[in-house]
């Protein structure tokens, strides 16, 4: 698709035609009489770029620079994990190094997912894929019960069988329970090792298939959901509607990170509630939070393309709001990156709890700028209703 400059240049190509029209009008329709006034050859007429055009530039660059690459990365890492799971389970005697490699492969898939987790439009929401990929929060232990049921069933667990099970049984959290299990239930030593490998390979294949299907449906040569988003058609009534949907998704992710990933596990006092954090077994909670928050800047800037900063400054003359928004996001990124070590340790130590609280506060600042100054300046409506009361 065209970059912001290519699209703008396309519009600017209309300049000669517009200038000719203006000149003809100035000459009384093109008469060649000697009494006609000379045409004005001063400042050329520049085509008017509307806010709808600006939204289109942002949608296109966000799709090209962030959404499509993120889903491609998710497909690639998921396929690799599925292949490694098969290779791991085909061996007679697996080593701890091989299990570590499998765990690292899972981490790469999870990292890929966390960069695009915020987006809740298009193929990922079809067929319940978003929950089949990553079911969390899980207050009723649907993942744990689902994995247990798979391990105890007498049926052969295949990818097709997995796809018919509860969403908690199908995705990355279920794989986490298998790949990061304690010594008693480890893929290396468990008494039901063969069954665990059967379930592992089936769920890995299911995750790979979901990732491939979602990516294919986004691609221009595939289902081309790209066109719906960037042109404001199909699921969207206009480009502005598409922007409003995505900004709503962005706000929901800000609230999710702030509340479900941080505020709830922090609880009211040490040691917090680490057991309900997003990644208890793998201890990827901090990294996932950092990935999420880093993505906020990618959303704002359209991955370094025609971002909201361009719209606010160049089109709306709102330099102060652009600066305020970018500063809030940068502060959140810096604060999140200062979270280091085990999430459980951060939740229970005074220093760690102060750091988590500070990150929560800067996320509130991002939310406040987004929901007040930003939406007023851009004249967009967001459909999210915050119920956290903070």
């Amino acid at each position: 698709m065209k970059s912001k400059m290519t699209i703008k240049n396309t519009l600017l190509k209309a300049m000669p035609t517009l200038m000719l029209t203006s000149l003809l009008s100035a000459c009384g329709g093109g008469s060649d009489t000697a009494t006609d006034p000379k045409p004005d050859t001063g400042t050329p007429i520049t085509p008017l770029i509307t806010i709808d055009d600006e939204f289109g530039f942002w949608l296109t660059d966000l799709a090209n620079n962030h959404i499509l690459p993120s889903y491609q990365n998710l497909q690639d890492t998921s396929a690799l994990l599925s292949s490694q799971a098969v290779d791991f389970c085909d061996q007679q005697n697996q080593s701890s190094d091989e299990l570590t490699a499998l765990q690292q492969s899972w981490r790469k898939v999870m990292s890929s997912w966390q960069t695009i987790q915020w987006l809740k439009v298009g193929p990922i929401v079809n067929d319940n894929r978003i929950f089949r990929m990553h079911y969390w929060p899980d207050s009723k232990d649907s993942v744990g019960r689902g994995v247990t049921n798979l391990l105890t069933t007498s049926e052969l667990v295949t990818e097709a069988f997995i796809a018919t099970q509860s969403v908690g049984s199908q995705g990355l959290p279920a794989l986490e329970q298998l790949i990061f299990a304690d010594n008693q239930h480890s893929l290396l030593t468990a008494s039901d090792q063969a069954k665990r490998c059967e379930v592992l390979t089936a769920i890995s294949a299911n995750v790979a298939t979901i990732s491939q299907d979602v990516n294919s449906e986004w691609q221009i040569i595939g289902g081309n959901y790209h066109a719906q988003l960037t042109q404001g058609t199909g699921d969207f009534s206009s480009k502005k509607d598409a922007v409003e949907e995505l900004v709503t998704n962005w706000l929901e992710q800000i609230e999710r990170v702030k509340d479900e990933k941080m505020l709830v596990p922090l609880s009211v006092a040490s040691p917090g509630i680490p057991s309900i954090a997003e990644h208890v077994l793998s201890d990827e909670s901090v990294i996932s939070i950092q990935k999420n928050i880093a993505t906020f800047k990618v959303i704002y800037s359209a991955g370094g393309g025609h971002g909201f900063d361009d719209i606010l400054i160049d089109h709306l003359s709102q330099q102060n709001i652009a600066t305020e928004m970018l500063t809030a996001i940068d502060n959140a990124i810096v604060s999140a990156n200062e979270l280091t070590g085990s999430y459980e340790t951060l939740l229970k130590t005074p220093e760690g709890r102060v750091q988590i609280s500070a990150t929560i506060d800067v996320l509130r600042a991002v939310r406040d700028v987004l929901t007040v100054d930003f939406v007023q300046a851009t004249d967009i409506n967001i459909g999210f209703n915050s119920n956290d009361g903070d």
Side-chain angles (χ1 to χ4, degrees):
M1 296 298 289
K2 297 177 181 177
S3 67
K4 63 175 183 179
M5 291 306 300
T6 301
I7 295 172
K8 284 187 172 180
N9 288 338
T10 299
L11 292 174
L12 291 173
K13 286 179 181 179
M15 283 177 58
T17 301
L18 291 172
M19 290 174 64
L20 179 59
T21 301
S22 177
L23 291 173
L24 289 174
S25 297
C27 294
S31 170
D32 59 358
T33 63
T35 57
D36 284 341
K38 296 286 186 180
D40 181 4
T41 58
T43 305
I45 299 172
T46 302
L48 177 64
I49 296 177
T50 67
I51 188 65
D52 202 49
D53 294 328
E54 293 285 332
F55 286 154
F57 300 150
W58 178 77
L59 289 166
T60 298
D61 282 356
L62 183 71
N64 291 344
N65 297 339
H66 170 59
I67 297 174
L68 293 189
S70 294
Y71 279 131
Q72 183 65 56
N73 192 35
L74 182 63
Q75 175 182 320
D76 293 344
T77 54
S78 297
L80 180 60
L81 174 62
S82 180
S83 175
Q84 287 184 321
V86 172
D87 291 343
F88 178 89
C89 289
D90 280 347
Q91 298 182 53
Q92 293 292 328
N93 296 298
Q94 300 92 345
S95 68
S96 58
D97 287 344
E98 289 164 337
L99 178 58
T100 298
L102 192 64
Q103 291 172 341
Q104 288 302 108
S105 187
W106 178 91
R107 286 189 168 98
K108 289 179 180 178
V109 182
M110 181 55 72
S111 178
S112 300
W113 170 250
Q114 293 293 346
T115 62
I116 197 65
Q117 183 188 54
W118 70 277
L119 191 63
K120 299 177 183 176
V121 299
I124 192 63
V125 299
N126 297 337
D127 301 323
N128 231 11
R129 287 170 176 153
I130 195 166
F131 297 112
R132 292 168 61 202
M133 175 66 71
H134 188 236
Y135 187 76
W136 184 86
D138 183 19
S139 60
K140 297 182 179 180
D141 194 28
S142 296
V143 174
R145 288 186 290 106
V147 171
T148 298
N149 291 339
L150 291 172
L151 293 173
T152 56
T153 183
S154 59
E155 295 190 52
L156 178 65
V157 178
T158 63
E159 179 185 351
F161 180 79
I162 287 292
T164 67
Q165 302 304 296
S166 66
V167 292
S169 314
Q170 295 194 34
L172 292 169
L175 287 175
E176 182 180 11
Q177 292 216 355
L178 293 166
I179 296 173
F180 294 89
D182 58 29
N183 289 335
Q184 182 181 355
H185 304 100
S186 168
L187 288 167
L188 297 176
T189 58
S191 58
D192 59 346
Q193 184 187 41
K195 190 67 175 183
R196 286 178 178 273
C197 264
E198 180 182 300
V199 174
L200 169 69
T201 55
I203 299 177
S204 297
N206 182 65
V207 168
T209 296
I210 293 172
S211 301
Q212 181 179 12
D213 289 346
V214 170
N215 187 37
S216 176
E217 290 174 29
W218 265 97
Q219 295 299 321
I220 296 171
I221 59 173
N224 201 13
Y225 194 82
H226 179 281
Q228 289 191 43
L229 180 76
T230 58
Q231 298 171 22
T233 58
D235 288 343
F236 310 102
S237 60
S238 65
K239 292 176 184 176
K240 181 179 180 182
D241 180 48
V243 170
E244 289 175 339
E245 286 286 341
L246 266 58
V247 173
T248 297
N249 287 176
W250 179 17
L251 177 58
E252 288 173 342
Q253 184 72 348
I254 293 171
E255 296 285 10
R256 187 182 197 189
V257 175
K258 175 175 67 68
D259 294 343
E260 295 173 353
K261 299 192 180 191
M262 303 187 75
L263 193 61
V264 175
L266 184 67
S267 191
V268 296
S270 176
I273 316 174
S275 61
I276 63 173
E278 187 175 21
H279 301 300
V280 178
L281 298 177
S282 63
D283 197 22
E284 285 287 293
S285 302
V286 171
I287 293 176
S288 290
I289 290 168
Q290 291 168 342
K291 286 283 184 182
N292 297 152
I293 295 176
T295 302
F296 298 161
K297 190 168 185 177
V298 176
I299 298 169
Y300 179 68
S301 68
H306 192 86
F308 281 124
D309 49 347
D310 296 296
I311 297 174
L312 287 168
I313 296 169
D314 298 336
H315 188 79
L316 300 174
S317 300
Q318 295 286 351
Q319 175 72 60
N320 289 342
I321 295 176
T323 300
E324 186 181 17
M325 191 78 228
L326 185 58
T327 299
I329 294 171
D330 283 341
N331 288 343
I333 292 172
V334 169
S335 184
N337 288 341
E338 290 175 351
L339 300 172
T340 58
S342 167
Y343 201 40
E344 183 174 1
T345 300
L346 287 169
L347 290 169
K348 71 181 181 182
T349 60
E351 299 82 4
R353 293 180 66 82
V354 168
Q355 288 179 317
I356 294 172
S357 296
T359 305
I360 291 170
D361 287 341
V362 292
L363 284 175
R364 288 190 178 114
V366 175
R367 176 202 59 190
D368 291 347
V369 178
L370 183 67
T371 56
V372 181
D373 293 344
F374 176 85
V375 297
Q376 289 177 357
T378 55
D379 190 32
I380 62 174
N381 297 308
I382 49 180
F384 179 80
N385 293 317
S386 175
N387 59 3
D388 62 357
D390 67 352

